[in-house]
Structure formats: C-alpha cells, structure tokens
Amino acid sequence: MKKNQSNLAILIAIILTFSTITANDINKNLVSQDELIKLYIATFDRIPDADGLNYWTNDSGLDIENIAKSFFDQYETQSKYPKDLSTFEFINTVYTNLFDRTSDEKGLTYWTKELDNSTISKDTFILAMINGAVGDDAKTLLTKSNFASQFMKDNKNIEKEEYTRKAKVDFEELDKSIASSNYLQDKINGLIDNIKDSIKGLEEKYHEYTSSDNRGERPFTPVFQDDDEKVTFISSKCSSNKTIQYLAYLTPTDAYTEHLSDVQNLISNPKNGNLQPFLDIRYLNPVTKYMNGGSYDFYPNNAEFTGLDVRNGSSNIGIGTTASSGDSSGSIVQSECIDSSLAIGTTINLYDTPEQSITYGGPQTTFTYQLLSSSLTSPWSSDKKGNLALQAYFDNPIYANYSTNTGGSVSYGLFLNNKKTGEKLNFVIAIYLIGDAWIEEKAGIKFDPTTNIAHVATLIDDSSWWSTKSPKSQTAKEITSDISKKTSDDGKWNNLYRVNISYQNLLAVLDELQKNPPEGAENKNFGMSPEDWEVDSVMVQYELEESGGKALLAGSFRGFEVYLTEDSI
C-alpha cells in the first residue's frame, strides 16, 4: 500500500511537470517554499524537513542568496562536500542532485574554470544551476520539487524519524522513476506530434497558447475604424527624435546590474514631442562603435545581411563586434536617417557571442522608447473603448542555421503597468518566427518571479485573442534557414506589420490571467479593468536563441510608429 502511494505521488509530480514548465529564475525579493525546496535538493539531495524549511522561510531573515551561503556553514554540507572533494566531483554531484545526470563536457569545463578561479563561489554555482535549468533539466527539477512539496503535505503528521526514513526511500524511488518517465514522455510527445500532423489543416504551427486546447470562439468581434482618425503617439521622424543611444551588455549579469541605471535618463515624453530612443544590445562580444557618420568604404558592406548600409553619410551610426569590421556577417547594429525617417538594421551572429550559459533569452538587439510616467494615463477607457496600435515596415529577415539552432524571433514589445496594483505585463507580439524558439521559450502566458512580470506571447494573426491584426498588415511569417541568402541596400521595406492592443484584447488577457494564472502568479491581482493599465515602454526586438548551435539572424525595419485610436485600425 505504501509503495502504491509513493508511485502515485511520483505520477502526480511527473504530470505536473509536463503540464506546465515556467522560468526557474531566482526571486530576490521573496524567499518562497519552492525556492528553498529546490535549494535543499541541489545542496543536500533530499526532501526538506518541515522545521528546517519553516526556519529558513519565516525566521532566518535571509534572502535566497544568503541562505545558500549559510547552507555551506552546515555540518551536513561540509560532510557531503569535504575539503578534499575535487571541483569535478562537486560539479557532477550537484548536476546529479538536480537533474539526475552528470555535466556535459562544455558545462563542466566552464564551471570548473569559474570555481577554480574563484570567479564564483559554490553556493552561487548552485543557485546558477537552479536558475539556469531549461528543457529536460527544468522538467526533472520541477518533477523533484513537485514531489517533495507533495510529500511534505502528505507526511506532515508522522514522527520525525519515520519522516526522514520515508523521505529518503521515496526520493530514491523517484530518481529511479525519472529515467523511465522521461522515456515515456518522449513516446507521448511523438504520438502527439503524429496526431498534430494528421490534423495539420486545422491548426497552424504558431498560435497563441493557453492552458486549454479548446478555447472556443473568440469572445469579441474586432471593431475597426478609419485610418484618418488615428493620433500619432510615437513617431519615427528623424526631426522628432534625439540621437539614438546605444547600450551594450556582454553578459546577463552585466544587464541585470547595469541596465536600470543606464536607462534612467533615457526617457521619452510624447506629449512634449521629446523622444529618446535607445538600442539595447545584449551578449555580442565585444561591441564597439566603429562607424559614426562620414565615409567608411574600407569596411565590409554589412547591408548584405541587414539591408542597411551605413558606411557613408552624416546621419548614420554603426556599432558592432570586431569581426563586423572585417566580415559583413559579423554582429552589428546600425541606425540611419532615410527620407526623414529612422531605419534600424541588425545582424546577430553567434560566433560573436561569449561562451556562457544564458538562462533567460538570448543574444538580442532591442529598439526601445521608455516613456515618462506622466506622458500617458491609459489608451483604454472605462467606456470599453481605446486602442494602441504599433506598426513598422520590415525587410525579410535572414536566418542561417549552421547546425541545430533552436531559432529566434522578430517581435514588437509592449510593457504595461497597473497604476492601482503595480502589477506589470509584457506583451511579446511575434512578427517573424523562427524554428521552435517561440514554442519552447515564449508561447503562452508566463510569469517571471525575478522581475514580477507576466509575459503575454501573441502574434500578428487573424485568430489571435490577445492582439488584433490590422486588415492592412501582413500575417506573422515563419522564416526558414538559408545560409546562402544575401540582400542589398535598396531603400525598400516592403512588409507592413501593424497590430492592435484594443480594450477587448487586454480584457481577454486579464480574463486568462484570472482564470488560469501561470505558476507563480496565483496570488497576483491583475484586475479586470483595462483602463487601469498604463504604457511603460514600446519596442522592436531581434532575438536569436543560444541553444542548439551556431546561427545568424539579420534584418532591418523603418518607420516604427505607435498610434492611439478608439478602435482597431
């Protein structure tokens, strides 16, 4: 009977794992039970005892970083990791504790160097492993933490000695089951793929993802108005914009620690016509400004990939890697004023990225307007009207997959803040989709506990609920790999992508958050009033996922505009 109960608990944990996977980022503002359970698993390879968990959660007064550090002062930790334990053995022990596998060669080399050079401490390494779990590793860790949480609930009233014995036996049984469950899940996934293939005509590869496979009919009918009635909120006219600022971050740590201070003065106030765009460039190695007006014919023609040649002219800027000064496929971000309107080009090549483990997102360039808090109350009103429309003209991006890269995307971004509750939403609106990156990394509504932001992934498509495609817009397009594709600086951006976030779109998002909150957001109050939400920033982003091997993503856009209207346009 006890063995059946144990197997049932394992099955529940596995089902929970494969039904919902969310980011494992560390919440620096709150020590949650889930964080501590994962820390216990990583450090001690066991289910926490109730007294210990309660102390660290409620009585220690420490955040997760200091708790992890304090764990290494414990006798249990010193016994498990003696001073004569090699770095190799330590790393593989933690990998096994968390993921039931040893480290891959690349990871072992990287972490050994970091630990041996004292670049990071052992407790920081453990937190990085928890925070960085993706794919099958994330599933395994979530299975273990779900199982531990359920075990603690089911056995909270038994004697301490029996609890310790039973926890050890059941957790070992779980480890044995994970291998077979992963194999079973692979079989299930294969079956699901076959079913999807058989009904391919019923559903596109890319769409909005919810917790329910059967959403039913869209709960509203989009209403459109005349283009003539739109009000320009943000304009890409060169005369309306200050010089574009460039911010470059080599590592995720750099971005986390420096970005907030870097952007505090880069504020746009559309009401006063004061627009200060900036380009956020992440994980290109290294980034330097080597073109800035004038003539630079001796540099390669990067327009072969971006479609934008800034080697000549007084109103252009190019910033990129050392490689881009000698190779047209080197990573570069470019801006130029063409026919009185801003144009932005980018090439992201993974051979220009540092060797590191990126746990959230990947190499990216993001063109951003960060808005003054008083510049906009809300596009949406209590009479159920109001709409925010974003548009730009794009050339067809180039994607070159040199091995088995996961893919990437080109998307609009929209950050919203609830002026009453302080909750935050981030719309990621796909324009171009590449490979499985959208499905694996962005699809659906997810909650990031590090930033306390709910991420809403939608795409420019007639079937979307959380955004409304303009009748004048093209539909979001899948880009496939072509390593031989080149382009030129022809001064044309033929693909118009316009998307609306209407009152009804935002209401549909809030309804989904209320009925099916993502993990971590169960107690968040997003409300049901679109009129309570203000716009913090708007952006266009090119992003290439790091996982799966080397690849290149390039392209450009022109005329990024944001409009205010009553209804969709």
Side-chain angles (χ1 to χ4, degrees), residues 403-459:
S403 50
T404 55
N405 183 261
T406 306
S409 63
V410 181
S411 59
Y412 290 128
L414 174 65
F415 276 89
L416 305 179
N417 175 68
N418 189 303
K419 58 188 177 185
K420 291 185 177 179
T421 67
E423 303 295 355
K424 297 183 182 297
L425 293 176
N426 172 28
F427 277 79
V428 180
I429 310 168
I431 301 166
Y432 294 99
L433 304 109
I434 305 160
D436 292 330
W438 173 263
I439 300 169
E440 293 183 9
E441 298 291 336
K442 292 186 169 63
I445 297 181
K446 300 179 181 179
F447 182 74
D448 177 4
T450 306
T451 57
N452 280 311
I453 296 175
H455 297 269
V456 180
T458 180
L459 64 161

Side-chain angles (χ1 to χ4, degrees), residues 239-251:
S239 57
S240 302
N241 286 268
K242 294 183 178 180
T243 301
I244 298 173
Q245 299 297 306
Y246 287 73
L247 309 175
Y249 304 102
L250 186 60
T251 68

Side-chain angles (χ1 to χ4, degrees), residues 245 247 262-268 276-278 369-371:
Q245 299 297 306
L247 309 175
D262 287 347
V263 303
Q264 62 181 348
N265 295 318
L266 300 180
I267 305 296
S268 293
Q276 177 58 80
F278 60 89
Y369 289 95
Q370 180 178 241
L371 305 182

Side-chain angles (χ1 to χ4, degrees), residues 48-59:
D49 58 281
D51 291 341
L53 193 70
N54 180 64
Y55 169 77
W56 293 113
T57 305
N58 301 315
D59 300 327

